[in-house]
Amino acid sequence: MVCSGFTRLAAAFVCLWGLLALPVQAQTETEVDLALVVAVDISFSMDTDEQALQREGFAQAFRSKLVHDAIRGGMLGRIAVTYMEWAGSPDQKVIIPWTVLDNSESLMAFADRIASTPLRRAQRTSISSAIDFSVKLLEESGLNATRRVIDVSGDGPNNQGRLVLEARDAALAKGITINGLPIMLRQPGYLDIPDLDVYYKDCVIGGQGSFTVPVRERDQFIEAIKTKILLEIANLMPGQPLISRIQSPQRTNCMAGEMQWRDRWSN
């Protein structure tokens, strides 16, 4: 009987301790100005030269003094970033886990990790799965962020997984902003679409202050990535608004990629 009473008392103590510990755990969350998921397309439509340029662009962005200054200029003076790669719906891989960047040393180390990771390529293009995976990363990050942003780069439309509009709208409902880097270095060909920048505006990006930075020339690639990262960290937009959903009707078919893939296998 004594043992039974002691067991009940211990259980009650553990339960009480757990309730008291909850506020403490919440207080220990890392506070940052920005939680940023860098979501990078590695599908086979990206050739190795493009992938190398993309990697170099992100590495240079986090080495940039302008980016360092933008971080220091935030309310807290620190951000958290994770770098992930994606292709088809079953293929998302975190390359660099959540890392707090609050000084030059941490930024340089983050850039070096991006630059030193071996390149890889995979099949299909699922922007929707990349967004869903990014949302999960944000929700499980343990970060208390003033802003939460997903930075999606890619060179083609969604052709696998759920509809990109569904994934986008689910992310926006959680207060997450999605920005885009549509890569348009080649003439549209097999399973590509013209005006990928318009597709990204209408179907991929959204949320407060969302924008795209299209890349149309190879020699613009690195500078475009650096500009985009800087704008995201500084919470700025390009000179001209690139999206106005209320005033502008949808101009592109957000199922274009799925229809292309269906047509390929129906012939």
Side-chain angles (χ1 to χ4, degrees), residues 119-145:
L119 297 176
R120 73 184 186 96
R121 300 167 75 196
Q123 294 182 337
R124 304 290 292 270
T125 301
S126 183
I127 302 172
S128 58
S129 297
I131 292 173
D132 289 339
F133 187 79
S134 298
V135 169
K136 184 178 179 182
L137 289 176
L138 287 164
E139 293 187 323
E140 297 178 356
S141 67
L143 298 164
N144 183 359

Side-chain angles (χ1 to χ4, degrees), residues 27-265:
Q27 290 172 6
T28 60
E29 287 185 343
T30 301
E31 293 187 346
V32 293
D33 292 310
L34 168 68
L36 174 64
V37 180
V38 177
V40 178
D41 182 6
I42 59 155
S43 59
F44 279 111
S45 57
M46 294 279 292
D47 64 39
T48 54
D49 287 343
E50 289 174 353
Q51 281 192 304
L53 280 172
Q54 185 171 227
R55 259 311 159 76
E56 182 60 23
F58 283 111
Q60 285 197 26
F62 287 104
R63 293 188 183 115
S64 167
K65 184 180 183 300
L66 290 175
V67 168
H68 295 201
D69 291 343
I71 293 173
R72 283 192 289 266
M75 290 290 292
L76 299 171
R78 60 179 174 268
I79 67 171
V81 185
T82 183
Y83 187 96
M84 59 85 73
E85 295 178 338
W86 60 273
S89 56
D91 198 322
Q92 302 88 36
K93 182 179 180 181
V94 173
I95 303 302
I96 306 175
W98 284 111
T99 305
V100 174
L101 305 178
D102 56 3
N103 56 45
S104 295
E105 291 75 17
S106 60
L107 281 150
M108 290 297 187
F110 190 84
D112 290 345
R113 290 187 68 182
I114 294 175
S116 63
T117 302
L119 297 176
R120 73 184 186 96
R121 300 167 75 196
Q123 294 182 337
R124 304 290 292 270
T125 301
S126 183
I127 302 172
S128 58
S129 297
I131 292 173
D132 289 339
F133 187 79
S134 298
V135 169
K136 184 178 179 182
L137 289 176
L138 287 164
E139 293 187 323
E140 297 178 356
S141 67
L143 298 164
N144 183 359
T146 304
R147 294 182 293 121
R148 298 189 296 170
V149 176
I150 301 171
D151 177 333
V152 181
S153 63
D155 71 342
N158 193 78
N159 62 36
Q160 193 177 38
R162 70 168 171 162
L163 298 180
V164 68
L165 285 176
E166 294 176 354
R168 182 199 69 188
D169 291 348
L172 302 191
K174 297 177 184 292
I176 297 168
T177 296
I178 304 172
N179 296 326
L181 186 87
I183 300 167
M184 308 164 66
L185 300 183
R186 301 190 307 267
Q187 290 295 321
Y190 184 59
L191 294 181
D192 292 327
I193 61 171
D195 301 323
L196 183 66
D197 53 340
V198 178
Y199 175 91
Y200 261 68
K201 290 177 196 176
D202 288 346
C203 311
V204 178
I205 73 169
Q208 185 174 3
S210 61
F211 63 88
T212 64
V213 177
V215 181
R216 294 184 174 86
E217 302 292 338
R218 192 171 292 266
D219 58 4
Q220 298 174 347
F221 207 160
I222 290 176
E223 198 59 38
I225 292 173
K226 290 167 65 177
T227 298
K228 186 164 184 289
I229 292 294
L230 178 61
L231 291 172
E232 285 166 337
I233 291 172
N235 196 19
L236 299 173
M237 291 184 66
Q240 295 296 322
L242 295 182
I243 184 165
S244 180
R245 294 191 183 281
I246 296 176
Q247 294 87 352
S248 302
Q250 184 171 299
R251 292 175 291 168
T252 192
N253 179 4
C254 292
M255 292 184 62
E258 288 86 350
M259 293 173 65
Q260 285 181 332
W261 195 263
R262 181 197 63 196
D263 293 343
R264 173 189 178 183
W265 291 105

